[in-house]
Amino acid sequence: MEHFEKTVSSKDIFNGKVIHVTHDEAELEDGSIAMREVVGHPGGVCIAALTEDDELLFVKQFRYPYKEVLVELPAGKLEKGQTPLENGKRELLEETGAVGREYMTLGKLYPSPGYSDEIVHLYFCKVDHYEQQSPDEDEFIDIIKIPVNKAVEMVLNGELPDAKTQTAVLKTAMLLQNMKVKEL
């Protein structure tokens, strides 16, 4: 059976700098009508950048919605006119000063499919070299290097609660494990 919902009407509730909120009426597959609140988001990108010492680059910053400091992989909002990979390369450079090579997709993540259309594109790369870090004027960031195995432990221990970071760390660890097996 194919499931579906058809938008009957949509009313703009809020248009902000980052998000757009609508209140929709949707026709369900049985013909009934349901209300849906949708947060529109341009999407994001997250980069797992591996150093030559098998460490991942992380950023440590205050996250206002949670009122706490989080440790996350470099990430950011997608900008129009650039591909997700171009956005990822830009965010990695801005936040850490790192320039990557051998980029590989780790897929995409739907962080909150119950109410948001946001898609986060995940990538892996190896750090090639460093240039000047240039975070946004409202970003105050510390750069941290964490060995991959330690980062996996931190995910499993709940020390890295950010969903995109958890997913990219675990996928990177599996990718590296599979690469080592293929080298044997």
Side-chain angles (χ1 to χ4, degrees):
M1 174 180 207
E2 189 171 327
H3 298 290
F4 69 92
E5 293 185 11
K6 179 183 173 186
T7 304
V8 175
S9 67
S10 183
K11 179 182 176 187
D12 287 343
I13 302 298
F14 175 78
N15 280 305
K17 181 180 171 186
V18 177
I19 64 167
H20 173 97
V21 180
T22 62
H23 185 266
D24 298 355
E25 289 185 352
E27 180 180 349
L28 308 181
E29 52 196 76
D30 67 358
S32 63
I33 301 294
M35 300 302 162
R36 300 289 187 239
E37 294 173 343
V38 180
V39 176
H41 188 283
V45 63
C46 177
I47 305 291
L50 185 71
T51 70
E52 62 185 22
D53 295 324
D54 287 333
E55 299 165 319
L56 291 172
L57 296 180
F58 287 85
V59 295
K60 183 178 177 182
Q61 62 185 322
F62 186 83
R63 288 302 201 172
Y64 186 82
Y66 300 103
K67 306 290 191 273
E68 66 181 89
V69 174
L70 294 181
V71 175
E72 307 168 60
L73 291 174
K77 179 175 66 75
L78 296 181
E79 300 293 337
K80 289 182 182 178
Q82 293 183 323
T83 66
L85 180 56
E86 290 169 334
N87 276 272
K89 289 177 179 181
R90 185 196 72 247
E91 287 292 339
L92 180 64
L93 179 62
E94 285 178 6
E95 292 188 356
T96 69
V99 176
R101 62 180 164 78
E102 299 179 38
Y103 279 84
M104 181 181 303
T105 183
L106 296 174
K108 58 187 177 181
L109 171 72
Y110 294 179
S112 299
Y115 63 86
S116 177
D117 67 359
E118 180 182 12
I119 299 172
V120 179
H121 301 268
L122 308 172
Y123 292 96
F124 165 82
C125 74
K126 294 179 181 176
V127 174
D128 186 63
H129 65 278
Y130 294 91
E131 294 181 3
Q132 181 64 42
Q133 176 193 23
S134 59
D136 294 338
E137 63 184 33
D138 64 348
E139 288 183 310
F140 300 92
I141 297 173
D142 295 325
I143 302 166
I144 302 171
K145 295 178 182 179
I146 302 173
V148 174
N149 291 337
K150 175 67 176 166
V152 169
E153 284 179 32
M154 292 173 74
V155 167
L156 297 176
N157 292 333
E159 296 173 65
L160 299 174
D162 174 59
K164 68 187 178 305
T165 295
Q166 289 183 354
T167 302
V169 164
L170 296 177
K171 284 187 166 193
T172 295
M174 291 301 298
L175 175 71
L176 295 172
Q177 181 179 344
N178 289 339
M179 287 175 148
K180 287 177 184 172
V181 169
K182 288 179 184 178
E183 289 174 2
L184 298 176

